[in-house]
Amino acid sequence: MGKVVAVLAGLSMMLTGVGTAYADDAAGDASVVKSQASQSQTATADAQAAQSQSDAAKAQTQAQSDAKADQNAKESAKTPAPAAADQKQAAPKAQAKAAAADGAQISKVVAPATALKYGARYTHADESAAFKVTLTGLTPGKAYGVMSSMNYNGDLPAIGQTTGAYDYNSSVFTASASTQTIDVFYRGFYKPSSTVQFALVAGDKVNVDDWGDKSVNGTVVDTSDDVQVKVLDLVDGNLVTLDSQSVEDVGEHTVGLKAHYTIDPKIAGSVTKICYSTTVTRVFTVNGTFDPSIWATSGIRSAWDCVTGAISDEDPEIANIFTVNNLIASVTGANSQTAMGQWFNHGYILTAEEGKPIPASGEITNVVPGLLAGTKYGNWGYSPEEGEDIDGMGAADVIYTVAESQTTQPDPASLMYSGIVLTFDDGSMLVPDIGGPGVQPNALKTVEDFTTKPATNGPVASADLTDANKNGVEGADGNKANAGSVYRLYIDSLKESATCKALVEKGSYCYWTGYIYSTPKQLASPDGKSSAVRVDKDGKAYVEFNIPADTVNGDHKIALYDNDGKLLGWTPVTVAEGQEPTPQPEKPSAEDVYALQSAIKTAESKKQADYTAASWSTFAAALKAAQDVAAKSDATKAEVTAATAKLAEASKNLVKAGSTTPTKPDKPTKPTTPNKPDKDNDKNQQKLPITGSSVLVIAFVAIALVAAGVSVVVYRRRNA
């Protein structure tokens, strides 16, 4: 997943080197001056110190140095102290003497001005957080390591012991000068004491393993006196809180989040940055068989640090981290199963203005890009193991759990939450999580469910799918598809497919939407709502969609759109084994329409004053209904004949005013002949719309004209 798997990348970066070596010709002021192990080394150091001390101070220093040298000599003659559980057995006396003769020593240590923050991450800390350890007597080209009690579980090994120094908790380097100053950082693995000691390990070479981690195996040649430091515990108590979070604005590919945060006053003054970070994990589909032997990446729910794997929103490659891809492969390394989905992080950083501290509380916003149009996001569909807290599940756990379930249900899981990350004045960071060293559960909050807006650019009308915008899309099997089956469309000739094929090689996919016409209806896919672009064994790119079982048999079109709703291309498809077309209602004949119009004309000539109120009410309703049917462009034969009959019945039942019996029905208006058009009748017909019904009338008149013409011809022949 590259930049997407920020949580895993962050863990990897925590295991990088912890020290930086500098060539140093002249040592600065020391906060700790280390007494030397050999008398000759002590004499040299004392001689240098004597230039700036009084005779009395010099004598006192010499006495202390002699006493320390004697003590070291006695300790060397004794059996070495037992090493820690992971250390080798102590070196013999001869090896200890050889180590002392190396000449390398810790001459001074300068502690950082800031406190050691237990629970913070120092992966991105700057030099102000480092202990400056000055070393003298180094042999250029030889390997060394500087160990520290603040990063070590137990007592440091004593002088003369063999041990290994590793760059995840020590500074490992190859000497480039006889005097160098090394940066040694606190790593945050253990809660440190207020006193810190250092040990110098000398070896033959720096070893590098398959993961790039460095180490040196050798002998401890010197140790330092205690260095006093300040310690701040960030684990105990809720020091940062995400008080509220709401979805403020939903777009096609974005969502706007708004939150309120609070920082404990005891740390607020040293905070220089606040990151409002959001993690998005969404699984669309799971296919294939789960492999129980795979290694599962497991981790607690944690905020993203907004640094690891971060790229600029203006970066042209930013879209790559938002693409849909196989999440299982990145988490477990399985090749027998796929889980199509998205997993990425995005954050907004609030930086303190110069000379002003970060507010201890306030509003903060974050706009999360890279979402799919018309898609639901939020929190659903994942379950913890028995006895576990669901809030403790991280993104990797959710992906693994869904993969293990082997569900075929579409949209099986979604996990979307935010956190508040603090950066301190020394570059260390408090990255909240549920149960790790930076535990701050109140700084994490889930995002309520929401659905992005559908793409505004598509789909186009069926008439807009022309030969000019087919763009080489080809249907499989001779453009023949079966309803209720998965159908493949080859898109290798589309220029967009070249970009998609390159992403497939990197384990990512383009994500395209399909619509079936005549009326555009969005198609689902085995991948979920839309289809990922893939490449077959012959190197041809394709997408796949489900043809609905209720699709009507016959000719259709399938059009493809990108995630922005842009039309990519289309192809004709003939669908079989679907539903038979729905029978269309019978249309009225010209005679039917003419009969209705005649009945309406006759009815409209009547006057309300001539009839009783009761009979006129029924008649008026029938007339209105008939007029409505006549005005419809898609009126059926049944509607026209029914309206005509009801109007005739209402006319027959009209009762003259002052009478109790219905009037005799009026004679139907005699149809006018084409040779003598009735102006009133023609005017009445013009009231009807030029629609399907009126077209039939015109056809009827045309037939009448032809008939009339034939009659004239026959008449003339008989009189010839």
Side-chain angles (χ1 to χ4, degrees):
M1 297 246 303
K3 297 173 182 175
V4 180
V5 286
V7 176
L8 300 181
L11 178 60
S12 176
M13 295 185 69
M14 286 179 66
L15 303 181
T16 57
V18 298
T20 306
Y22 304 91
D24 192 3
D25 293 330
D29 294 335
S31 63
V32 174
V33 179
K34 178 69 183 72
S35 299
Q36 309 305 324
S38 69
Q39 294 182 356
S40 59
Q41 293 167 345
T42 303
T44 301
D46 291 341
Q48 293 174 344
Q51 296 178 7
S52 59
Q53 295 178 339
S54 65
D55 291 340
K58 178 179 178 181
Q60 183 179 0
T61 302
Q62 183 64 48
Q64 292 173 346
S65 299
D66 291 342
K68 182 63 179 291
D70 291 341
Q71 181 64 30
N72 286 341
K74 293 178 181 179
E75 290 178 355
S76 297
K78 297 178 180 179
T79 301
D86 59 347
Q87 300 300 321
K88 296 182 180 180
Q89 188 176 359
K93 297 179 181 179
Q95 192 173 356
K97 291 181 179 179
D102 181 270
Q105 56 185 307
I106 302 173
S107 64
K108 63 182 177 183
V109 179
V110 179
T114 57
L116 300 184
K117 303 175 183 67
Y118 174 53
R121 295 185 187 177
Y122 282 79
T123 308
H124 309 292
D126 56 39
E127 293 181 9
S128 66
F131 286 79
K132 302 292 183 180
V133 181
T134 300
L135 309 172
T136 59
L138 303 177
T139 301
K142 192 169 184 177
Y144 295 92
V146 179
M147 304 175 69
S148 171
S149 62
M150 61 186 174
N151 297 325
Y152 196 78
N153 187 17
D155 295 332
L156 287 176
I159 293 176
Q161 285 187 279
T162 57
T163 188
Y166 304 92
D167 60 4
Y168 61 82
N169 61 5
S170 304
S171 175
V172 176
F173 65 99
T174 300
S176 59
S178 60
T179 299
Q180 289 183 245
T181 297
I182 307 300
D183 283 350
V184 180
F185 289 91
Y186 171 53
R187 304 311 297 161
F189 299 146
Y190 311 107
K191 186 173 182 179
S193 168
S194 59
T195 60
V196 180
Q197 300 86 33
F198 295 86
L200 177 60
V201 178
D204 294 328
K205 66 175 183 178
V206 172
N207 304 305
V208 182
D209 63 21
D210 294 338
W211 294 274
D213 295 328
K214 297 185 295 183
S215 64
V216 57
N217 296 317
T219 305
V220 176
V221 297
D222 198 19
T223 58
S224 75
D225 289 333
D226 294 344
V227 181
Q228 299 300 313
V229 294
K230 293 180 290 185
V231 177
L232 181 61
D233 190 343
L234 302 181
V235 175
D236 295 335
N238 289 300
L239 302 179
V240 56
T241 302
L242 192 59
D243 303 307
S244 63
Q245 179 173 247
S246 59
V247 174
E248 293 291 308
D249 185 28
V250 179
E252 293 177 28
H253 306 289
T254 60
V255 62
L257 303 177
K258 183 179 181 181
H260 187 278
Y261 70 89
T262 302
I263 305 173
D264 192 293
K266 76 177 182 180
I267 63 171
S270 58
V271 175
T272 59
K273 293 180 182 178
I274 296 177
C275 172
Y276 181 22
S277 76
T278 301
T279 295
V280 179
T281 307
R282 195 184 187 289
V283 182
F284 295 100
T285 54
V286 178
N287 294 296
T289 304
F290 178 74
D291 183 357
S293 66
I294 60 178
W295 175 77
T297 298
S298 181
I300 55 177
R301 187 178 304 192
S302 174
W304 179 51
D305 61 19
C306 294
V307 177
T308 304
I311 58 177
S312 169
D313 286 349
E314 286 72 36
D315 192 319
E317 295 296 316
I318 188 173
N320 290 346
I321 73 170
F322 302 134
T323 56
V324 174
N325 54 71
N326 182 11
L327 302 178
I328 295 179
S330 61
V331 174
T332 66
N335 0 351
S336 59
Q337 193 180 31
T338 62
M340 302 305 298
Q342 292 179 296
W343 182 12
F344 63 89
N345 303 277
H346 193 270
Y348 170 77
I349 296 178
L350 176 65
T351 305
E353 298 180 14
E354 187 175 356
K356 296 182 179 179
I358 287 284
S361 65
E363 302 287 344
I364 194 167
T365 60
N366 183 20
V367 177
V368 181
L371 307 180
L372 298 182
T375 303
K376 182 181 177 181
Y377 291 88
N379 291 269
W380 70 82
Y382 49 93
S383 301
E385 295 293 331
E386 185 176 353
E388 291 181 345
D389 181 0
I390 194 169
D391 289 335
M393 296 183 70
D397 297 277
V398 171
I399 296 168
Y400 183 85
T401 301
V402 173
E404 188 178 28
S405 71
Q406 299 189 91
T407 179
T408 57
Q409 174 188 349
D411 301 333
S414 180
L415 175 68
M416 190 170 179
Y417 63 92
S418 302
I420 295 294
V421 179
L422 306 181
T423 300
F424 298 104
D425 48 13
D426 60 2
S428 61
M429 306 175 75
L430 179 58
V431 184
D433 55 44
I434 293 295
V439 55
Q440 299 288 328
N442 287 351
L444 298 170
K445 194 173 289 291
T446 57
V447 177
E448 62 189 53
D449 292 355
F450 65 92
T451 301
T452 53
K453 294 180 179 178
T456 55
N457 294 331
V460 301
S462 179
D464 293 329
L465 300 178
T466 65
D467 289 341
N469 55 27
K470 275 188 174 181
N471 292 333
V473 178
E474 298 179 5
D477 302 324
N479 285 40
K480 295 180 180 179
N482 291 326
S485 65
V486 177
Y487 188 64
R488 179 173 295 188
L489 302 167
Y490 286 100
I491 46 89
D492 196 58
S493 58
L494 280 171
K495 64 180 182 179
E496 288 85 353
S497 65
T499 301
C500 295
K501 289 170 74 173
L503 289 173
V504 170
E505 293 178 357
K506 299 177 181 178
S508 295
Y509 300 86
C510 297
Y511 207 59
W512 289 358
T513 303
Y515 283 85
I516 191 167
Y517 290 75
S518 59
T519 301
K521 176 182 179 181
Q522 185 171 355
L523 297 172
S525 164
D527 293 326
K529 197 175 184 66
S530 299
S531 175
V533 175
R534 291 182 172 83
V535 180
D536 67 9
K537 58 183 178 59
D538 297 322
K540 296 181 66 176
Y542 66 89
V543 291
E544 291 182 326
F545 293 98
N546 299 322
I547 305 299
D550 60 356
T551 303
V552 174
N553 293 345
D555 296 333
H556 299 267
K557 299 175 182 178
I558 296 181
L560 301 177
Y561 296 83
D562 65 13
N563 192 41
D564 292 317
K566 171 189 171 186
L567 176 66
L568 298 169
W570 67 277
T571 185
V573 174
T574 300
V575 176
E577 299 183 8
Q579 292 185 352
E580 292 297 329
T582 302
Q584 297 297 318
E586 184 180 359
K587 294 181 179 180
S589 66
E591 291 87 348
D592 296 330
V593 175
Y594 188 75
L596 177 61
Q597 291 175 330
S598 297
I600 291 174
K601 179 187 175 185
T602 300
E604 288 177 339
S605 66
K606 298 182 182 297
K607 297 180 180 179
Q608 182 176 356
D610 295 338
Y611 304 97
T612 62
S615 64
W616 182 263
S617 175
T618 302
F619 168 78
L623 175 59
K624 176 64 169 59
Q627 291 170 331
D628 290 342
V629 171
K632 290 177 62 176
S633 62
D634 58 349
T636 65
K637 179 181 180 68
E639 289 177 320
V640 171
T641 55
T644 304
K646 288 182 179 180
L647 182 56
E649 180 71 16
S651 297
K652 183 179 69 173
N653 292 328
L654 280 172
V655 178
K656 288 283 188 179
S659 174
T660 59
T661 60
T663 61
K664 293 182 179 180
D666 295 319
K667 294 182 178 180
T669 302
K670 184 179 181 180
T672 58
T673 64
N675 293 334
K676 292 183 179 181
D678 188 322
K679 293 182 180 179
D680 293 336
N681 186 51
D682 183 61
K683 183 185 298 183
N684 185 59
Q685 289 189 27
Q686 290 178 3
K687 293 179 181 179
L688 292 173
I690 305 297
T691 61
S693 299
S694 56
V695 168
L696 291 174
V697 175
I698 295 171
F700 175 75
V701 173
I703 294 171
L705 286 170
V706 173
V710 172
S711 298
V712 172
V713 172
V714 172
Y715 181 81
R716 287 180 179 177
R717 284 183 179 177
R718 287 179 178 177
N719 289 276

